Amino acid sequence: MTASQVIFCQATESFPGQGFGDGFLKILETAVAELGCGKSSEAQNPWALKIPLNAPGQSNAVLPQWINAARTGLKKGGQNPGPMFDTLSITTAGLDTAEGLLERASQLDLQEFFVVGDDPENQPGDPLSLSEECAFPSVTLSSVAAAAGGLMLLNSVRPHPHLGMSGALFSLGSGILDRQSKLLLHRDIRPTVDTPLCAGCGSCLATCIFDAITIRAGRAFIDHQLCTGCGECMTACHLAGISPEDASRIPRFQKQVAEAAFAVASQSRAAQSGSLLYANFLTPVPRQAAGGFGRDRQQPDVKGVLVAADPLALDQATWDILVKGNVHGLRQWSGFLQEPGALMERADALGLGSRQYDLQLRA
Ligand code: SF4
Ligand code: SF4
């Protein structure tokens, strides 16, 4: 397998919410133009940009000016950028309604081009087939992602309780799917409470919109009939008192995300025209996004954005930077025990991309 090109636009200035300078935006714009150039866009079906809005109250990892730089870059690369979208979350982060997403977009002054990717009012895309190894036969793209002539996925790299890191593969294999497909993917990943570690503080209970958690005799209890496996309570527990019920299911979950990502990257409308691009933003992780071990969390020294047309190479490069930049161990970055090993191995085996990459530094 030949190495895929990954462009790393490293930020040399202090980091926003406070803002990158014009120099960085220019570098990002050029990288997107370079990688977007020559893609066979469909003029009638513009590119859609998936953007992570994040929850109200959290720092917005991907700022409007970065999104604008990506849009300008696409234009300079001869592409036709259309709507920006985010999708409904199965988590408890407060963006689980179309109204919540629209309000957040408005707060960020993004409403002009923003649409809800899987608005329940819209029809989702056609089913995309998965291999026979999967527990279910197909997944469905959100309506906006399904209709797009090209797709650019902008990801803020965050700790993820089941993957270690959420990046391009997770966005492709879960983030841009419709809500039902996301729930299907997560259904076997249910956490459980380690009662000796639980102090009964109730933080997890407050994050669970599915009412799956109760406090009994001073300890949290998860009702697995109600739990969707979103993992949000694991992030909320500062005592690391919640972990996967069955750790052996984690690799299966990761493989299914890889399968779904491969289906999107090979069967979607954007894939048919070869018009897919990805950007992973390495930013400081807000305290709210830290896992249970996050109290002494170390931020990586390196910050910026990595851009590629290969989601596997992009995530591998991102992961390698995180590993290299955390002398205290990744657990102090993510707060979770998991690493995205099975995700990347399965993506590699499916031919979704290359784990070899040629990292080009622009700073
Ligand atoms: S957040 Fe952790 S310590 Fe608090 S009730 Fe939930 S499991 Fe227990
Ligand atoms: S109990 Fe289940 S549904 Fe509720 S936050 Fe935790 S993982 Fe999500």
Side-chain angles (χ1 to χ4, degrees), residues 33-219:
E34 197 175 309
L35 290 169
C37 194
K39 303 261 177 197
S40 53
S41 67
E42 300 175 57
Q44 296 306 311
N45 295 289
W47 286 57
L49 284 80
K50 164 79 162 68
I51 56 172
L53 288 182
N54 290 336
Q58 289 191 335
S59 70
N60 48 307
V62 175
L63 296 178
Q65 58 264 39
W66 307 348
I67 298 165
N68 289 335
R71 290 177 62 86
T72 307
L74 279 176
K75 267 189 216 158
K76 288 190 174 168
Q79 307 305 330
N80 179 13
M84 298 179 294
F85 73 103
D86 201 357
T87 48
L88 298 174
S89 170
I90 67 161
T91 74
T92 55
L95 293 175
D96 46 307
T97 63
E99 294 73 27
L101 281 181
L102 289 167
E103 190 183 332
R104 179 70 173 149
S106 170
Q107 287 166 358
L108 297 174
D109 278 333
L110 294 173
Q111 66 271 42
E112 189 183 356
F113 296 106
F114 182 81
V115 286
V116 179
D118 52 353
D119 191 320
E121 300 292 314
N122 297 339
Q123 285 293 322
D126 294 329
L128 306 175
S129 306
L130 303 179
S131 80
E132 288 177 0
E133 289 181 33
C134 289
F136 39 92
S138 62
V139 288
T140 307
L141 272 174
S142 56
S143 56
V144 175
L151 274 171
M152 181 161 186
L153 309 186
L154 281 67
N155 318 296
S156 61
V157 176
R158 285 285 172 272
H160 189 280
H162 311 312
L163 301 172
M165 173 191 91
S166 63
L169 289 171
F170 186 58
S171 184
L172 189 65
S174 179
I176 61 172
L177 303 180
D178 75 337
R179 187 178 167 91
Q180 282 312 313
S181 295
K182 286 180 195 164
L183 288 168
L184 267 179
L185 276 172
H186 286 79
R187 70 180 175 185
D188 286 341
I189 305 288
R190 295 176 304 193
T192 192
V193 177
D194 183 337
T195 45
L197 289 177
C198 174
C201 70
S203 298
C204 55
L205 183 144
T207 65
C208 182
I209 57 167
F210 301 100
D211 295 330
I213 306 179
T214 48
I215 303 287
R216 297 182 186 175
R219 300 281 187 271

Side-chain angles (χ1 to χ4, degrees), residues 10-16 18-25 27 303-304:
Q10 190 168 348
T12 52
E13 305 149 76
S14 67
F15 216 76
Q18 304 89 38
F20 281 141
D22 289 345
F24 177 84
L25 297 177
I27 292 169
K303 299 177 182 68

Side-chain angles (χ1 to χ4, degrees), residues 249-266:
R249 290 184 184 157
I250 295 287
R252 189 169 74 183
F253 169 76
Q254 294 197 6
K255 284 180 192 169
Q256 289 187 167
V257 172
E259 294 270 358
F262 179 67
V264 178
S266 53

